[in-house]
């Protein structure tokens, strides 16, 4: 059968090369240059064995060559064994016995994870509502206006802001309207908009040192430090942040708290303190930034509403879907006092550069159809069962270990005897058990006189698959120290 270089294939058995970038060297004629470029692309591994090349007519047009030049180059490379050509299958890179040698220092493509992953902050990825999300995406795309496929509105799609205003009012007691919501890509993005960049969104009267809880995410503290923000730690106890120190810091006019579920220690902000921090913000002409990172997941008590409902003009409410759906979606929201909306939009820029408009439309449809509520209720039951299994395992194997923060969220805190945390984490590493210690969350600026250090483990119970969860709990119990 006659071989036809560049013939169109009948079925995609190998990767195609419909578009092919080649830099023709300045050697010999055009045919010699094309052959040299193809040999180098194959020799370097950029064109892998089995990769189909574009038809010679298309390649000639792309490179500005005569068709005969491209056809002759293909034919000679077939004769040399670099390419293969068959009628109906096109021209492809030949399979070679000798593989292309790897680069001298290849980077690993996947970082090895722990055998048992009990790190906090990770929802159950296997429970993402794929079918419901796909159905919502189809409905959203069908109904989307043409302008949805143009440059994005930095405030976010109106459809999402409208359903968010209703949802947050119904579920979290937030008082707002769509015009006071700005969509972002998550909590960290919100912090960057408020504090970082050439035009931070907070007005001058709200800048200066920022009060934060003595235990929190180091990543957030690092982000603030990079923006030049000095953080002032507030001690925490079982009732959340202790606010007495705010009265003695006249330079502090803004505070960042996790009122519904202090992260990571787990207690809600006491009702008296909720009112007090709003009164403090009013008196200082300042702001409270409310991080509602897992407000949907409550197990043993009634949900605690958002502090924002007490004074929408003094509280910036921040939320996302990173715990309820997936951090991969990169969708969050800021519910702003009216006077901050334009400042945040100015900081964000004229076009949406982060949150996909199509994902926004899909989330809006998922919420509006009730699919989001159904998913959250299902996950609330699932995480409560996981929590109960953890508590039962500890009661049976390590009853001397205190457990806190279990009334809500996706993690629990296991209290350890002073001075034992480091040794327990080393034992966990030897067992392949992914765990976080409380020390990693402690603000370096809080001294023992203000708040004694706490030894403990932050145990996330959402991540392991069902079949691996009992083994993860057994490994956890095995590394816990015996009674003192």
């Amino acid at each position: 059968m006659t071989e036809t270089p560049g013939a169109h294939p009948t079925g995609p058995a190998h990767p195609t090369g419909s578009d092919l970038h080649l830099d023709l060297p300045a050697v010999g004629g055009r045919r010699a240059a094309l052959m040299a470029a193809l040999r180098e692309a194959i020799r370097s591994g950029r064109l892998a064995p089995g990769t189909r090349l574009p038809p010679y007519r298309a390649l000639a047009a792309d490179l500005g060559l005569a068709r005969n030049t491209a056809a002759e180059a293909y034919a000679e490379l077939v004769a040399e064994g670099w390419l293969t050509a068959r009628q109906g299958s096109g021209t492809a890179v030949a399979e070679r016995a000798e593989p292309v040698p790897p680069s001298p220092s290849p980077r690993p493509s996947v970082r090895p994870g722990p055998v048992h992953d009990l790190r906090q902050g990770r929802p159950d990825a296997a429970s993402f509502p794929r079918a419901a999300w796909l159905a919502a995406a189809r409905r959203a795309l069908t109904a989307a206006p043409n302008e949805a496929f143009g440059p994005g509105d930095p405030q976010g799609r109106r459809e999402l802001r409208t359903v968010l205003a209703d949802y947050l009012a119904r579920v979290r007691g937030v008082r707002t309207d769509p015009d006071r919501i700005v969509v972002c890509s998550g909590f960290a993005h919100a912090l960057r908009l408020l504090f970082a960049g050439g035009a931070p969104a907070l007005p001058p009267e709200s800048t200066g040192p920022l009060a934060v809880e003595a235990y929190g995410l180091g990543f957030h503290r690092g982000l603030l430090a990079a923006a030049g923000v000095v953080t002032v730690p507030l001690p925490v106890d079982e009732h959340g942040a202790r606010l007495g120190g705010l009265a003695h810091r006249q330079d502090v006019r803004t505070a960042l708290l996790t009122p519904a579920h202090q992260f990571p220690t787990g207690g809600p902000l006491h009702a008296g303190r909720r009112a007090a921090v709003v009164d403090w913000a009013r008196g200082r002409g300042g702001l409270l930034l409310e991080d509602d990172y897992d407000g949907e997941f409550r197990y043993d008590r009634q949900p605690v509403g958002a502090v924002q409902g007490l004074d929408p003009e003094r509280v910036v409410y921040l939320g996302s879907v990173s715990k309820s759906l997936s951090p991969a979606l990169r969708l969050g929201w800021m519910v702003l006092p009216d006077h901050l909306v334009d400042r945040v939009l100015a900081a964000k820029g004229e076009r949406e550069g982060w949150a996909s408009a199509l994902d926004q439309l899909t989330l809006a449809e998922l919420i509006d159809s009730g699919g989001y509520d159904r998913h959250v209720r299902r996950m609330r039951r699932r995480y409560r069962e996981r929590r109960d299994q953890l508590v039962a395992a500890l009661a049976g194997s390590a009853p001397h270990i205190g457990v806190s923060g279990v009334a809500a969220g996706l993690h629990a805190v296991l209290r350890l005897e002073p001075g034992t945390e480091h040794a327990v984490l080393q034992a966990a590493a030897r067992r392949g058990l992914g765990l976080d210690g409380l020390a990693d969350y402690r603000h370096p600026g809080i001294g023992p006189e203000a708040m004694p250090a706490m030894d403990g483990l932050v145990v996330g119970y959402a991540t392991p698959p069902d079949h691996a969860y009992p083994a993860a709990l057994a490994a956890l119990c095995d590394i816990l120290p015996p009674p003192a």
Side-chain angles (χ1 to χ4, degrees):
M1 181 180 293
T2 303
E3 295 178 345
T4 306
H8 291 280
T10 58
H14 295 284
T16 62
S18 298
D19 287 322
L20 180 59
H21 173 77
L22 291 174
D23 290 319
L24 302 186
V27 294
R30 303 286 276 172
R31 185 181 67 185
L34 176 57
M35 292 174 63
L38 286 169
R39 288 193 196 100
E40 177 57 29
I42 297 169
R43 186 183 295 113
S44 68
R46 190 164 67 84
L47 290 180
T51 300
R52 282 201 300 269
L53 301 185
Y56 72 86
R57 294 180 180 85
L59 184 66
D62 289 344
L63 298 178
L65 303 175
R67 292 182 182 180
N68 287 344
T69 299
E72 290 168 3
Y74 273 15
E76 288 196 40
L77 290 174
V78 168
E80 293 176 6
W82 292 93
L83 304 178
T84 61
R86 292 181 181 176
Q87 181 69 35
S89 296
T91 303
V93 177
E95 302 288 346
R96 298 186 303 281
E98 292 293 329
V100 176
S103 59
S105 301
R107 294 184 62 184
S109 58
V110 178
R111 296 181 182 180
V115 177
H116 304 294
D117 194 351
L118 292 177
R119 291 171 292 182
Q120 67 78 29
R122 299 160 183 259
D124 180 11
S127 294
F128 182 82
R130 302 183 190 210
W133 183 264
L134 179 59
R138 286 172 173 162
R139 294 192 300 269
L141 287 174
T142 300
N146 291 336
E147 53 86 15
F149 300 93
D153 181 348
Q155 189 162 0
R157 293 295 306 178
R158 181 82 186 186
E159 297 91 334
L160 178 57
R161 292 186 284 115
T162 298
V163 298
L164 276 176
D166 292 340
Y167 175 81
L168 295 174
R170 171 170 56 87
V171 174
R172 304 296 299 126
V174 171
R175 294 161 54 194
T176 189
D177 59 66
D179 292 332
R180 293 170 57 155
I181 296 176
V182 173
V183 175
C184 57
S185 69
F187 181 78
H189 185 206
L191 281 188
R192 290 187 176 98
L193 290 171
L194 291 171
F195 293 100
L202 288 183
E205 62 270 18
S206 297
T207 57
L210 172 69
V212 298
E213 294 159 333
Y215 280 79
L217 271 180
F219 169 71
H220 293 160
R221 290 195 297 268
L223 189 155
L224 292 165
V229 179
V230 175
T231 53
V232 177
L234 301 173
V236 298
D237 58 23
E238 66 274 17
H239 299 303
R242 296 183 351 225
L243 307 172
L246 289 175
H248 307 295
R249 291 293 302 257
Q250 296 299 317
D251 56 338
V252 175
R253 292 182 292 274
T254 304
L256 168 61
L257 303 179
T258 52
H261 187 218
Q262 200 287 319
F263 181 85
T265 61
L269 190 63
H270 187 274
R273 296 181 186 180
R274 290 160 63 90
V277 75
V278 171
D279 289 342
W280 167 82
R282 289 170 179 161
R284 289 285 172 86
L287 289 170
L288 170 64
L289 309 182
E290 180 175 12
D291 179 6
D292 195 28
Y293 65 98
D294 66 356
E296 294 93 344
F297 297 114
R298 297 291 177 270
Y299 310 127
D300 299 329
R301 56 175 168 78
Q302 290 296 315
V304 178
V307 174
Q308 189 267 1
L310 298 178
D311 192 338
E313 290 304 314
R314 289 296 167 194
V315 181
V316 176
Y317 176 88
L318 308 169
S320 77
V321 298
S322 65
K323 302 295 187 296
S324 59
L325 283 172
S326 168
L329 286 178
R330 310 310 307 151
L331 280 177
W333 45 84
M334 312 169 70
V335 179
L336 299 163
D338 188 63
H339 68 280
L340 282 185
V341 174
D342 288 342
R343 296 184 65 95
V344 168
L345 293 179
K348 206 174 184 206
E350 294 183 1
R351 293 186 179 184
E352 172 57 63
W354 295 80
S356 161
L358 302 184
D359 284 345
Q360 292 181 53
L361 290 170
T362 301
L363 179 59
E365 173 60 28
L366 189 69
I367 296 173
D368 193 47
S369 67
Y372 186 73
D373 283 84
R374 289 190 291 273
H375 171 73
V376 168
R377 286 195 298 270
R378 182 170 61 253
M379 298 313 297
R380 190 183 296 132
R381 290 191 298 269
R382 179 179 178 81
Y383 292 146
R384 178 171 183 160
E385 291 171 357
R386 288 294 190 91
R387 187 279 312 264
D388 291 347
Q389 288 178 265
L390 169 63
V391 172
L394 293 170
S397 300
H400 59 287
I401 299 293
V403 187
S404 63
V406 295
L410 309 183
H411 71 271
V413 174
L414 278 55
R415 298 300 175 89
L416 302 175
E417 290 294 324
T420 63
E421 179 182 311
H422 182 66
V424 173
L425 289 174
Q426 286 184 320
R430 289 192 295 269
R431 289 290 303 269
L433 185 60
L435 278 176
D436 297 317
L438 266 178
D440 290 338
Y441 298 95
R442 186 178 175 90
H443 194 295
I446 187 84
E449 70 285 350
M451 181 182 180
M454 299 183 293
D455 278 48
L457 303 175
V458 182
V459 180
Y461 46 78
T463 300
D466 286 339
H467 71 273
Y469 191 49
L473 294 181
L476 172 65
C477 291
D478 284 347
I479 59 96
L480 293 176

